[in-house]
Amino acid sequence: MSNQCPHLEAQQKVPSVTGLTSRRFSNEHLPGPPGHRIMGSYPEFSKDRNKFLRDAVKQYGDVCRIRLPLRDLVVLGNPEDAHAAMGDNSGDYSKFGNYHPALQKRQNGLSFIEGELFKERRRIVSPLVTRDGLKSTFNANVEAYLDSLDANIAAATDAAGVTDLQEAIFQTLLRGVLKQTFTEPFTPKEIEDLHHGLSTFTKFLGSTLKIADPPNLVRPWGPYKIRPWAVYTAAMIVKNRVVERQNSPALGTYGDVLDGMLAGYKKLKTPMTFWDLCFDVATMTSASYGTTAGAITQTVVRTLLDAEATDRLVEECGTVDLTQPTIESVRSLHWVKACFEESIRMQGLPLLLRFTSKGANFQGFDIAPNTMLGIPISTIHRDSRWWTDPDKFDPNRFYDKSKRVDQPRVLHYLAWGAGPHRCTGAQLGYLIAPYLVALILGQYKVELPPNWTLREDTGLAPMIKGGFRVRLTRR
């Protein structure tokens, strides 16, 4: 069978996702599961995305086509191909694809732009959570964690003394994100609305990007209620804060992320709208919240399931004053950081997406323009070609070069993405996540329920299905 793509000669940019190449017949020459006539492989894919993708790559190769309703997915299972797509700086591989021109005129938030426009905006945002801005954002998070952790644990504890530690972690991290971004306090009602709104947005986005099932919009029970209007409510809270700051006589003296964005965006050569600004502020808040909280929860859970790793972590925590941490002291927690990195290697993030605008070639296969490419993160992170005993939790992979089970190369570890869209807050994440893990496990003994097993709810922020309900006692 020829690997030549029938669209190769066209090499034209498709104006929107309604173009021919966005539909089901663009890459029929690629190998992949046959699927069903209308639904393709979606029923099997949605049942267990990570297992389905791992099996597909293993059976059909590093470039395979997954038939889905309306739009197919082309999976790139080789890390070199993943970096080629994600590391491109030309804008030919966009994060969200070519959306309708009418929408493009109204939304140019950071997540939707590419090329020089993206680079200009990114140069403003990155220093706010790296380099000069790293100390202030780190200190803001630490202050919020120390102020709120115990209260959030108490709020997540029921009458029987059982704590949903996952909920407490999400609430604690949210307060840190809000303090680093806005400085001024929020009311309990605003925090609750932001929590539901950001969680709902993450679930909606995850379903749009084929990472998770659509959220249940009608279920009136359970601790994680999903309501479509929660996103609007959260957006209005962010919008009002931006307006208040713009009109504040103290503008420029707060030293937080919002101040930095407002000052930096005034210097842009390319004008942006007020709504683009609000979208970027909301995106920065959301991106700093859900995925990081999910990774912290995963680290606590997976470390607790390994008694030796837990004892070693608690011992290391005793070497640092967790009530007065510094960037240097947190960076000295090498074992905690190793547990964090190993945990996010193992978490079930199915895909990161990119969209080709002009077509591409991977492993000798030509790919049509406007194709949706899927980087199967969990598949690459659990591939025995790159990792020894990949399904085993072993922080030594990341702890000491002389003791590593593997020698993880940049290509094989994609927890923070890669290329121009690599997570802006990775440096900050490597500080606040290990610190909060250390703060929790260094201050509390955690008793797991008998015969408890880890069940994940996949998505942009892979969570523990049903919450992480444990008993806590002070050390």
Side-chain angles (χ1 to χ4, degrees):
M1 179 182 294
S2 172
N3 293 343
Q4 292 299 311
C5 169
H7 300 279
L8 182 62
E9 295 180 1
Q11 290 291 307
Q12 59 184 5
K13 187 169 182 177
V14 179
S16 75
V17 293
T18 59
L20 172 64
T21 55
S22 71
R23 299 177 189 274
R24 288 288 302 277
F25 310 108
S26 305
N27 295 288
E28 287 188 302
H29 60 294
L30 299 180
H36 309 283
R37 184 181 296 271
I38 297 176
M39 296 297 291
S41 295
Y42 186 78
E44 295 81 8
F45 174 70
S46 62
K47 185 177 297 184
D48 189 335
R49 286 168 172 77
N50 288 314
K51 182 179 185 304
F52 180 86
L53 292 171
R54 290 176 73 178
D55 291 345
V57 169
K58 187 174 183 180
Q59 182 174 353
Y60 296 101
D62 285 333
V63 178
C64 59
R65 173 191 179 206
I66 309 300
R67 290 163 171 79
L68 298 174
L70 299 180
R71 185 170 190 147
D72 289 348
L73 172 73
V74 174
V75 173
L76 304 179
N78 188 292
E80 292 186 5
D81 295 333
H83 276 267
M86 292 193 291
D88 182 85
N89 288 307
S90 68
D92 289 344
Y93 296 89
S94 65
K95 191 173 183 180
F96 286 113
N98 303 311
Y99 45 90
H100 197 280
L103 176 60
Q104 191 172 23
K105 292 178 181 178
R106 292 170 172 79
Q107 179 50 262
N108 280 298
L110 191 60
S111 298
F112 289 93
I113 55 179
E114 301 293 338
E116 291 303 318
L117 184 60
F118 172 81
K119 293 177 186 177
E120 183 187 17
R121 196 89 60 82
R122 178 88 173 203
R123 281 194 291 267
I124 298 296
V125 172
S126 293
L128 303 178
V129 288
T130 60
R131 301 193 294 272
D132 295 339
L134 187 61
K135 184 176 181 180
S136 61
T137 50
F138 169 72
N139 289 338
N141 278 276
V142 167
E143 185 178 341
Y145 299 166
L146 292 173
D147 286 345
S148 68
L149 177 60
D150 290 343
N152 291 329
I153 286 176
T157 303
D158 62 21
V162 176
T163 303
D164 184 351
L165 189 52
Q166 177 168 253
E167 176 69 7
I169 289 172
F170 270 73
Q171 291 287 348
T172 302
L173 192 81
L174 177 58
R175 283 156 176 79
V177 170
L178 294 178
K179 192 170 185 62
Q180 79 181 31
T181 305
F182 300 100
T183 299
E184 297 127 319
F186 287 76
T187 67
K189 180 64 166 59
E190 287 177 320
I191 291 176
E192 180 183 5
D193 288 341
L194 283 166
H195 175 51
H196 288 304
L198 294 173
S199 300
T200 302
F201 176 75
T202 300
K203 288 181 179 293
F204 272 123
L205 187 58
S207 63
T208 301
L209 299 178
K210 314 294 184 184
I211 295 172
D213 291 328
N216 188 331
L217 300 178
V218 297
R219 187 182 67 183
W221 61 85
Y224 304 108
K225 299 182 179 70
I226 299 298
R227 293 292 180 268
W229 58 83
V231 177
Y232 174 80
T233 302
M236 289 301 100
I237 293 173
V238 172
K239 174 251 183 184
N240 291 336
R241 286 299 175 110
V242 172
V243 171
E244 288 173 8
R245 182 65 62 84
Q246 286 181 318
N247 297 327
S248 171
L251 176 64
T253 65
Y254 291 89
D256 55 21
V257 171
L258 180 56
D259 245 15
M261 293 180 74
L262 289 171
Y265 282 6
K266 289 180 181 178
K267 303 174 183 177
L268 290 173
K269 296 178 182 179
T270 307
M272 62 184 297
T273 69
F274 171 76
W275 292 110
D276 291 338
L277 169 63
C278 290
F279 183 87
D280 282 357
V281 174
T283 300
M284 287 281 288
T285 305
S286 177
S288 302
Y289 168 56
T291 53
T292 307
I296 292 170
T297 305
Q298 291 265 344
T299 305
V300 171
V301 171
R302 294 185 186 277
T303 303
L304 286 170
L305 291 173
D306 186 318
E308 183 178 346
T310 302
D311 291 343
R312 190 169 174 180
L313 186 148
V314 172
E315 182 180 356
E316 186 177 70
C317 291
T319 65
V320 171
D321 184 355
L322 296 174
T323 63
Q324 293 182 318
T326 63
I327 290 177
E328 292 71 24
S329 67
V330 172
R331 283 177 173 163
S332 73
L333 297 172
H334 300 299
W335 182 252
V336 181
K337 178 174 177 285
C339 290
F340 173 63
E341 291 189 292
E342 176 69 345
S343 295
I344 53 180
R345 180 191 72 83
M346 296 192 71
Q347 72 178 8
L349 176 61
L351 293 166
L352 288 179
L353 298 186
R354 294 293 183 268
F355 295 80
T356 64
S357 63
K358 298 179 180 178
N361 184 289
F362 295 103
Q363 303 288 323
F365 289 99
D366 291 314
I367 311 296
N370 206 22
T371 292
M372 181 169 64
L373 301 175
I375 315 301
I377 301 299
S378 183
T379 297
I380 292 173
H381 284 176
R382 299 286 191 104
D383 194 320
S384 59
R385 290 178 294 176
W386 328 120
W387 306 92
T388 303
D389 202 3
D391 293 325
K392 179 183 178 182
F393 177 76
D394 187 357
N396 277 305
R397 300 179 203 273
F398 298 93
Y399 180 68
D400 184 347
K401 289 183 179 179
S402 66
K403 298 180 181 179
R404 280 179 179 166
V405 175
D406 294 289
Q407 293 290 332
R409 285 162 280 184
V410 173
L411 286 177
H412 306 157
Y413 190 64
L414 296 163
W416 303 92
H421 282 288
R422 186 177 186 269
C423 179
T424 310
Q427 285 190 46
L428 180 62
Y430 271 125
L431 289 173
I432 62 173
Y435 173 67
L436 186 51
V437 170
L439 193 63
I440 293 169
L441 296 183
Q443 292 186 343
Y444 289 93
K445 291 183 179 180
V446 184
E447 180 185 346
L448 297 173
N451 303 316
W452 187 85
T453 57
L454 190 160
R455 295 186 304 135
E456 276 188 303
D457 188 3
T458 58
L460 275 176
M463 299 175 66
I464 308 304
K465 190 172 291 188
F468 185 45
R469 299 178 61 78
V470 296
R471 292 185 180 274
L472 301 176
T473 54
R474 277 280 187 177
R475 290 191 182 277

